[in-house]
Amino acid sequence: MIFTVLTLFSEMISALLTGGIVKRAIEYQYISVESINIRDFAKDRHRTVDDRPYGGGCGMVMKPEPVAEAIRHARKKHPEAYTLLLTPQGQLFNQGLAQKLADQPGLILVCGRYEGIDERILEHLVDDELSIGDYVLTGGELAAMVVIDAVTRLIPGTLGGEYSAEEDSFSTGLLEYPHYTRPRSFEGAEVPEVLLSGNHAAIKEWRRQASVVRTLLKRPDLLMDKHLSSDDIRFMTKLQKDLKTIMGNHSTAS
Ligand code: 6GU
């Protein structure tokens, strides 16, 4: 996967490449990350990249010419790549989208700054717009880093043999089960007995049920359109029954 980031702040992107899985993925050549400075495509003496908005109003707008030139340059180099503009107005990024992007041969990530980019860039030069959440950042660079990180770890091989992305929260549609390591007793809190049992079937069942309970408690919205197995349904029916019993014992009716 070739990531090409078009930005005014290449040094921000460099921070992502200095450690962890992304650094290793570059070393093993699963991915490459190149930053292109949009300012290098400004034509005037002052290398101007922004200007005042037509119609008035506060803030500056990124001029279309340098951005267009930068995108064309990147596309010429990587004709197969999918071009994304990072903007709070874009489609919300999630795990499903990360998976789709991971199947692309390359991504060109265009980072906006100031109040936004001239609208005409959007109409002709990008394939899609992406947002990483309903809040406003000062620029697209952090969003581009989020996309690079989430997509990289889905590329086969990047996580190393010891771990797979298949059990991730969101990949299964459920939150992940809780994890424990040594010591067995930590400040009075014990590791659940079943995890010490060596009974793999029981551990698998416990983890699945823990995932269901966590999702139910923390992110019930995820369960609304999730296909649950018959085991899950049976488990949830039992939970429902237990809850009813408990509630019955604490009835406020009388
Ligand atoms: Cl992609 N850009 C900016 N500037 N703000 C954001 C965002 C992107 N996603 C959420 N907020």
Side-chain angles (χ1 to χ4, degrees), residues 100-114:
K100 278 190 196 142
L101 295 181
D103 296 332
Q104 298 284 338
L107 294 177
I108 297 170
L109 302 168
V110 185
C111 303
R113 279 269 152 181
Y114 311 112

Side-chain angles (χ1 to χ4, degrees), residues 21 31 41-42 59 114 175 186 216:
I21 300 285
I31 67 163
F41 296 86
Y114 311 112
L175 299 182
F186 171 69
L216 206 53

Side-chain angles (χ1 to χ4, degrees), residues 86-88 112 130-140 143:
L86 285 315
T87 157
L130 215 59
S131 162
I132 60 161
D134 291 337
Y135 42 81
V136 180
L137 302 169
T138 54

Side-chain angles (χ1 to χ4, degrees), residues 178-205:
H179 302 280
Y180 298 90
T181 185
R182 289 185 290 182
R184 197 168 153 166
S185 179
F186 171 69
E187 299 183 356
E190 304 294 326
V191 173
E193 201 64 37
V194 63
L195 299 179
L196 313 170
S197 70
N199 180 341
H200 296 295
I203 291 170
K204 192 168 174 225
E205 185 186 21

